[in-house]
Amino acid sequence: MPSIEALRIFVEAAVHGSFSEAARRLHKSQSTVSASIANLEIDLGVALFDRHARLPVLTGAGQHLLANAEQVLTAQDRLLRAAAGLASGYEPRLSIALSDTYQPDRLEALQAEFDARYPEIELECLIAECADLLALIESGRAQLGFVERQPDYPPGLAYAPAAEPSAMDVYVSRRHPLAQRSHVELAQLDDYRALRLTTVQQQTPQRPRGHSWSAPSYLMLMEMAQGGFGWAELPCWLVERYGAESLQRLPLAGWPRLVTVDVVWSRDRPPGPAGVWLQTRMTGP
Amino acid sequence: MPSIEALRIFVEAAVHGSFSEAARRLHKSQSTVSASIANLEIDLGVALFDRHARLPVLTGAGQHLLANAEQVLTAQDRLLRAAAGLASGYEPRLSIALSDTYQPDRLEALQAEFDARYPEIELECLIAECADLLALIESGRAQLGFVERQPDYPPGLAYAPAAEPSAMDVYVSRRHPLAQRSHVELAQLDDYRALRLTTVQQQTPQRPRGHSWSAPSYLMLMEMAQGGFGWAELPCWLVERYGAESLQRLPLAGWPRLVTVDVVWSRDRPPGPAGVWLQTRMTGP
DNA sequence: AGATACCATCGATAAAAGCGATAGATCATG
DNA sequence: CATGATCTATCGCTTTTATCGATGGTATCT
């Protein structure tokens, strides 16, 4: 069972083609390098270097095993790097809970930036809306959430408005009766089925609004609207990107409206440095 | 600098969720496991396990580093596996020299079989014809070659006929004057430009046959023939696969003809076990 | 309460990793 | 051809480290 140090010595000697050079670079004595490689050859049962020349040259087997040894070292290097990050307080993974109100193109740019800055940290994205999302944050399952601004937040949750607001509008299928009208009043909406967001959490039992249908994500709501089952309030970007051809906005007064997206986190379980970076990156300029 | 053994102990303990269990499986004392993990935590600067419960449970950092540690171990496992293969006489890489006379679909099947049987061994394919190919074998650059049967082989080279022969025929471009004839005699070919194989090696200076053009591979010859520059003797499979729409065979008596493909290797530098397997696989049933 | 199984800690011992010194080998140079 | 420089292999010696058994504290189950 070869030790990591022996592999490092082997690689250094192979790369520089000299035991003495490797000893100098690794700040070890030449005898250590020599003995270490000799032991490694015994352990592996293969001659790594051809020592007939003045300087040792890799054998064919040595060349082949060099690649494997380097893989071991790079894997170990990643381990140490990750440990160093964790030791200095960085979280091993960051879970963010997303509402569909947040545009994915902005999110992708953000993810790319995050990956460049924190390549070691796992990033997990969860999809949830409203109370479900807040529950993810409260339970610690996610550290950061992006939600449409709520009328009130549970205690222990902190929030800050994200930099850019999001546009919402009311849509119906092109085949829906409302789609033909050139003028629609808000009161008329009650005559048709509403498609509303629901949540798995039902701590605050919502007043059941007539014969409405509901789903836990805007994407499912949009698919219901595309089916012609009713009208729904949806993020404009979602419709423009995935449902433009089969949906139509309603000409309501005051719509589309701009919705503030809040960044939410738990005060008890605050996000780590990477989460803080992501949060300030969202709320800042 | 964590040792491999420490990582193995860590992984074993993490997987089974118990230090004692890991000690039993690794045939070490419980104190060794305990101390080893404690040292690992000191080295990495991170708490790996939460010891408040009866059984230790991984911390978040521990979960994250567990994945890294497993990567180190699998890399080391590959290293040991490769070394074991080399120690028992297997070559680190096998270079085979191919003539275009050998059908690639059979070759791909063979490569798949080789990969399944010898996943550790690098397989290198070189393209060469005739004297060039034999030179690759003689020099030791390649260990195995597939060539159209030669009238004579250099001393020191052994050969055996491959199981399946290969068909060759004479082709011209559809725009070539010969393409219109319903009957062609061999002697008439001399009236038109021949496209012949040439080799980089010019040890045996071939008699320059009139105003012929030449190239070192059948693929290049075929492209010349497609350009309408003359007639060429080509492997049937090559034309059928890549040049069927622009080339046409000549109705010559005795053609197409079957050519034996020989497997060639050097008697001085015989191929290793994997090469022998490949060779017998080719010549056998 | 008792039995059991778990983890942490403490010396003691054996294995190894490391170093300096030395000797043999190879290459460049006068 | 002789010489100096530089390389690798090997030999003791010291120091570090890994491993063990024994012991004690603690949680879990009967």
Side-chain angles (χ1 to χ4, degrees), chain B residues 36-80:
Chain B
S36 187
I37 289 181
N39 281 329
L40 186 59
E41 287 177 320
I42 292 173
D43 287 345
L44 298 179
V46 176
L48 263 19
F49 289 94
D50 186 359
R51 295 162 166 84
H52 287 98
R54 171 156 174 73
L55 288 177
V57 296
L58 277 176
T59 61
Q63 291 176 26
H64 194 235
L65 294 179
L66 173 62
N68 292 67
E70 280 178 326
Q71 286 184 12
V72 176
L73 291 184
T74 58
Q76 194 234 18
D77 201 56
R78 271 198 299 273
L79 170 66
L80 292 182

Side-chain angles (χ1 to χ4, degrees), chain B residues 92-121:
Chain B
R93 62 187 281 167
L94 179 63
S95 297
I96 64 181
L98 296 165
S99 157
D100 278 333
T101 42
Y102 198 72
Q103 284 93 327
D105 46 352
R106 294 189 199 157
L107 180 67
E108 279 170 28
L110 203 66
Q111 287 171 338
E113 214 174 323
F114 185 89
D115 181 46
R117 191 175 289 253
Y118 305 105
E120 316 286 353
I121 298 181

Side-chain angles (χ1 to χ4, degrees), chain A residues 19-20 30-31 34 51 54 56:
Chain A
F19 291 3
S20 302
Q30 177 265 321
S31 65
S34 183
R51 296 163 164 84
R54 174 160 172 68

